[in-house]
Amino acid sequence: MAFFAVFQKTLLLAFLSWRTFQSEVLAEYVSLTPESLKVSTNSTCQCLQLQWSIHELPHHQELKMLFQMEISRVKPSNVIWVGNYSTTVKRDQVLHWSWESELPLECATHFVRIQSRADDAKFPELSIWSNWSSWEEVHVQHSLGPNTLLVFPKNKLVEEGSSITICYISGINHNNITCYLHDKLIYGVQLDSKASAFKLNNVPFIRKSGTNFFCEVNQTDIKSGATFFVSKVLEEPKNFSCETQDFKTLKCTWYPGVDTGLDWNIQPSQSYTLFESFSGKKQNCKHKNSCNWKITQDVQETYNFTLTAANYFRKRSANIIFNLTHRGETRVLTAYCA
Ligand SMILES: *[C@@H]1O[C@H](CO)[C@@H](O)[C@H](O)[C@H]1NC(C)=O
Ligand SMILES: *[C@@H]1O[C@H](CO)[C@@H](O)[C@H](O)[C@H]1NC(C)=O
Ligand SMILES: *[C@@H]1O[C@H](CO)[C@@H](O)[C@H](O)[C@H]1NC(C)=O
Ligand SMILES: *[C@@H]1O[C@H](CO)[C@@H](O)[C@H](O)[C@H]1NC(C)=O
Ligand SMILES: *[C@@H]1O[C@H](CO)[C@@H](O)[C@H](O)[C@H]1NC(C)=O
Ligand SMILES: *[C@@H]1O[C@H](CO)[C@@H](O)[C@H](O)[C@H]1NC(C)=O
Ligand SMILES: *[C@@H]1O[C@H](CO)[C@@H](O)[C@H](O)[C@H]1NC(C)=O
Ligand SMILES: *[C@@H]1O[C@H](CO)[C@@H](O)[C@H](O)[C@H]1NC(C)=O
């Protein structure tokens, strides 16, 4: 018995020192510093798109990791955003992450860097922050002529009540530039010697053809402008009901509320679809306030309809359940949503 206990203890010690050895090897040789960081811009989403990898991840290892990102504007020391991203990383995997900028990316140079650490219960010893990657610089506007004045964003779509940031970038002295929102003088915040930004909160819907913003240089004919589009907030369909006169077709109707369509197909009017959960059938509605539904010959009694309105920003639904019990009778069957 005593021999067995000693043997067991030795074995345990051997195992422990192997574990310690393994941990030391990992901690000593593994640098989890993010490498090959590349940053590109996507003007559609006004995003910085990052990709990077961890070169020295141990062989055949998957590691839960935490990344910390820093984003600066104009100069590296001016950090405007810090955030975390957590994921499981495999060896040689290219990681992706993106960040949406309030400010149009054309108006300022941005800088990005990342650091990382393991966030994995299996490797507590790797849970220390790596070095930062070097700053990666991103600029969209490469050269700017002395008489250039450019306004961004172009044709952006936002929802009523949300916010939008507009900016200009120019080689001309700020004091000589004046800007107007919907023909009213507006003052911005200077970002650097070239650019200014205008943050508009709680934007109202003015018209379907968009809201105009423009800047001009005093005593010259240099001007630049942009239009942004404000969508009304999509409403839930109201008074959704279905009825049939002939038990062949159900006619479903509703009040659609405001039309959220905008000019130049920036946003089409909201679409409506009808879904019936027992049959699993779905139908796109041709009209904005009604939809015809064929009653099939099989003996479905209970109908559970979900009417969904959708636009670029939102989906809103209304639901009704009813029994189509009076098959063959001539009176009108009507069902209203609860
Ligand atoms: C961090 O950077 C310093 C200085 O460049 C270097 O000596 C050190 O080895 C780096 N550490 C890691 C874990 O890469
Ligand atoms: C840019 O962003 C849009 C909208 O998020 C996305 O659909 C598109 O795939 C992105 N383009 C690239 C090149 O990643
Ligand atoms: C990121 O994670 C670290 C470590 O868990 C935490 O200290 C920090 O507050 C987090 N930062 C943000 C912006 O969530
Ligand atoms: C430019 O015009 C605006 C509006 O007329 C005026 O307020 C501003 O003082 C002018 N700036 C210069 C430098 O002339
Ligand atoms: C800008 O304003 C300054 C004085 O404030 C003036 O000397 C200069 O000529 C102006 N430039 C332009 C392009 O109007
Ligand atoms: C919906 O129906 C209710 C009661 O039947 C009625 O009071 C209301 O005015 C209707 N709503 C609309 C938008 O017509
Ligand atoms: C009716 O359909 C909706 C949407 O598919 C579902 O969430 C709900 O549970 C259904 N109700 C019944 C009673 O089947
Ligand atoms: C529909 O009929 C079924 C069975 O006849 C019944 O259990 C159910 O409560 C009825 N539902 C409605 C909404 O009338």
Side-chain angles (χ1 to χ4, degrees), residues 35-39 49-53 94-97:
E35 287 176 89
S36 312
L37 172 62
K38 290 195 188 74
V39 186
Q49 298 180 322
L50 278 58
Q51 67 168 65
W52 71 95
S53 55
V94 177
L95 293 139
H96 296 270
W97 181 81

Side-chain angles (χ1 to χ4, degrees), residues 18 23 27 76 80 92 110 137 144 160 176 201 208 234 244 269 279 301 334:
W18 179 77
S23 302
I80 53 156
D92 291 329
H110 287 80
E137 184 175 333
L144 207 60
E160 184 169 26
N176 299 351
N201 291 315
K208 287 180 164 219
L234 181 63
T244 182
S269 295
S279 60
E301 277 221 318
T334 312

